[in-house]
Amino acid sequence: MKLKQLEGLVGGLQQFSNPKIELEQYPTGPHIASRMLYTAENSFGDVSNKIVADFGCGCGTLGAAAALLGAEHVIGIDVDSQALELAYQNAEDLEVDIEYIQCDVKNLRWRGQSVDTVVMNPPFGTRKKGADMDFLSMSLKIASQAVYSLHKTSTREHVRRAALRDFNASSAEVLCELRFDVPQLYKFHKKKEVDVAVDLWRFVPKH
Amino acid sequence: MRLLTHNMLSSNVKGVTNGFPLGIEVEKVVEKQVELSADFLINIFSKIEWKALVDASRAVGYAELPDQADASMLDSDEFLRKFHHALLELHLEEGALLCPETGRRFPVNKGIPNMLLHEDERGVSHGGCRKSNTQLRRIKYFDRKTSLSWAEQCIMMAVDKLKTTTSALCKFCDCGKCPASA
C-alpha cells in the first residue's frame, strides 16, 4: 500500500467527540499516523505478519494503520470505554480485525515479550507527570522487536536516558522530528491551533 | 477476543504471582474466518503456551487440538489448519476471564475484556511510583475539594503526606522503597 493511500484511509476515521483532558486524549493525525506505520513497515519490517499492540489506542488510528499494512494480529489497549467504542466502530468501518482490551496500560501484565511491535502515541505527561514514562517502561517489557512512540522534542534527552538506563532498551533512536498539530480541543486552549515539535522514536528492547 | 490474546494475558491483580492462564467463562463464541499464513504460525508456535491454548480451545468448544505438540508437526497442513483455527478464528464474544489465583472475574463484552482494577487491586511498580503517588493524591483532592484554592489544596496534600509517612504503610503502592512507604 502506498503512503498516500494509507493516509487517506486513516484520515477518514472518526475522532473523539468529547476528549478527556485527564487522559490527555489528543487524536493522532493521519499525517503522523501513516508516516509512523509506513516507516515501521518499509524501513524495518516491523508490521506485516507481526503481532502489534497499540498502547493508549484512543480512537484506534495507529492500530488501524497497522492492520491496513498487513499486521497479523493487532491489539488496542485503552482505559476509556468511550474511546474503545469509537475504535471498535472505526475498525468495523475499515473492515479490519482488531482486538481491544480495556485496561490501564501501567497495570498490564502479560506473559513475557509476547508482542512483536508496540506502536503508541502516549500521553505526553503534561497533565499527569510521568504518564509517558509509564507507557514507555511497559511497552519495552512487552515488545520483543521494537517500540515506536512519539514524545515531545523538548524531552529528548530525558527520554533517551530513561529508556537506556531504566527501561530495558538496547537502543533508542529518533527517526524524525514531526509537527504534531494540536487543534483547539479543550477550553483552556487559548490559541486556535498550535504545532508541537515531537520526535518519532524507535526503541529496541533487550531480550 | 481471539485465543491468541488469551494466550498472552495474565491476571494483573495485585499480589498474584502466577496469573497465567486465565480461566474462561463462555456465554457466546463467534467464528471469523481469516486467511491462513503458514509463516506467521511457524514463527508464533515457539511463543505459544500449548497447554493453555488447548484448554482454552476446549473451553470454547473446539476439541481438535492434540494434547502435545512439537515443532515437527508444523509440516502438516492439517495441523496448521487446526492451529490457525484455534488461535485466530475463534473469538470469545461474551463471557468472562477468571484470575487463576483469586478468582477475580474480568467480564468480556463485545469481545473486549475489561481488565480495569479497583483501587485496592492495583500494584504500582517502583518505576513511576513517586510520581503517581503525588498525582493520585492531587486527583483525589481535585475531586473532593474543588472549592479550595490551589494553596489550600497544597496544604491539604502536605498534611495527607505527613499522615501516610507516619502510618508506615503507603496507601498507593507497596514497593517499600518510596518515601511515602518508608
Side-chain angles (χ1 to χ4, degrees):
Chain A
M1 184 180 289
K2 294 216 174 82
L3 177 60
K4 275 265 155 65
Q5 234 178 322
L6 182 66
E7 188 173 342
L9 284 170
V10 295
L13 297 177
Q14 292 180 63
Q15 306 287 4
F16 301 111
S17 47
N18 293 305
K20 299 188 177 64
I21 186 57
E22 68 275 20
L23 299 173
E24 294 187 40
Q25 290 181 335
Y26 291 95
T28 320
H31 178 86
I32 290 192
S34 56
R35 268 146 195 86
M36 193 167 169
L37 271 297
Y38 194 79
T39 311
E41 171 59 11
N42 289 291
S43 309
F44 300 98
D46 285 331
V47 179
S48 65
N49 263 310
K50 304 286 184 216
I51 301 179
V52 178
D54 178 357
F55 277 14
C57 65
C59 44
T61 315
L62 294 175
L68 289 168
L69 287 175
E72 184 74 28
H73 184 67
V74 182
I75 310 169
I77 297 134
D78 207 291
V79 72
D80 178 22
S81 53
Q82 279 174 337
L84 284 173
E85 232 161 79
L86 198 55
Y88 186 89
Q89 201 54 50
N90 277 333
E92 296 243 301
D93 292 348
L94 278 177
E95 296 180 352
V96 289
D97 276 324
I98 300 181
E99 307 251 286
Y100 295 102
I101 297 171
Q102 188 177 8
C103 187
D104 191 338
V105 164
K106 71 172 188 291
N107 292 328
L108 278 178
R109 266 241 239 137
W110 285 11
R111 187 172 62 78
Q113 293 173 313
S114 41
V115 160
D116 295 310
T117 307
V118 172
V119 291
M120 59 186 187
N121 172 16
F124 290 156
T126 48
R127 287 267 138 181
K128 185 172 175 184
K129 218 161 169 274
D132 50 343
M133 292 296 121
D134 287 340
F135 271 60
L136 187 57
S137 146
M138 189 53 75
S139 64
L140 282 161
K141 281 182 198 154
I142 280 171
S144 67
Q145 253 179 290
V147 173
Y148 293 85
S149 181
L150 299 167
H151 297 275
K152 285 212 292 198
T153 303
S154 57
T155 60
R156 188 179 291 179
E157 280 320 304
H158 173 60
V159 170
R160 187 192 308 278
R161 217 177 315 123
L164 294 174
R165 194 188 55 195
D166 307 331
F167 298 152
N168 193 38
S170 66
S171 85
E173 186 191 350
V174 176
L175 298 179
C176 62
E177 202 181 303
L178 297 156
R179 319 289 314 172
F180 194 101
D181 51 317
V182 181
Q184 196 176 21
L185 272 182
Y186 297 106
K187 276 199 189 120
F188 65 86
H189 284 163
K190 299 206 169 58
K191 291 180 190 145
K192 219 169 185 177
E193 194 172 308
V194 187
D195 267 357
V196 180
V198 296
D199 292 335
L200 170 56
W201 285 86
R202 181 175 191 266
F203 304 94
V204 177
K206 282 184 198 145
H207 289 284
Chain B
M1 187 195 68
R2 287 170 168 172
L3 299 191
L4 172 54
T5 306
H6 171 264
N7 211 273
M8 307 197 264
L9 284 180
S10 185
S11 164
N12 53 353
V13 178
K14 178 172 145 186
V16 168
T17 49
N18 192 6
F20 182 86
L22 293 157
I24 296 182
E25 217 177 85
V26 182
E27 272 172 45
K28 187 179 165 201
V29 175
V30 293
E31 276 185 48
K32 291 181 201 163
Q33 281 195 358
V34 283
E35 211 175 307
L36 185 148
S37 154
D39 285 346
F40 176 77
L41 293 172
I42 290 165
N43 277 326
I44 193 80
F45 180 77
S46 61
K47 288 190 187 173
I48 295 293
E49 280 284 336
W50 189 257
K51 192 178 178 311
L53 179 66
V54 173
D55 291 347
S57 65
R58 288 186 185 157
V60 299
Y62 183 70
E64 301 288 309
L65 289 182
D67 286 328
Q68 308 279 333
D70 59 73
S72 67
M73 296 164 89
L74 292 164
D75 295 335
S76 146
D77 282 347
E78 197 198 340
F79 175 77
L80 282 184
R81 251 200 322 278
K82 288 176 180 170
F83 181 32
H84 170 79
H85 184 65
L87 198 66
L88 300 171
E89 296 188 324
L90 295 171
H91 294 251
L92 179 64
E93 192 70 7
E94 301 288 334
L97 301 173
L98 305 167
C99 169
E101 267 187 39
T102 62
R104 162 74 146 91
R105 208 170 160 274
F106 299 100
V108 178
N109 294 315
K110 278 167 95 183
I112 304 175
N114 179 346
M115 310 279 293
L116 292 180
L117 297 173
H118 303 302
E119 202 169 330
D120 58 341
E121 296 174 319
R122 283 179 218 148
V124 181
S125 62
H126 185 62
C129 88
R130 214 172 295 194
K131 286 160 194 156
S132 29
N133 239 343
T134 12
Q135 189 53 42
L136 275 168
R137 222 170 275 144
R138 191 158 294 175
I139 289 171
K140 224 171 116 191
Y141 277 103
F142 262 130
D143 285 352
R144 230 169 40 198
K145 302 184 169 48
T146 33
S147 58
L148 292 179
S149 73
W150 177 245
E152 282 169 318
Q153 281 180 27
C154 289
I155 293 167
M156 295 300 290
M157 278 165 55
V159 171
D160 192 48
K161 191 174 181 184
L162 256 177
K163 277 185 202 155
T164 34
T165 33
T166 46
S167 74
L169 245 185
C170 162
K171 263 193 201 153
F172 303 104
C173 92
D174 55 348
C175 69
K177 292 176 202 158
C178 64
S181 63

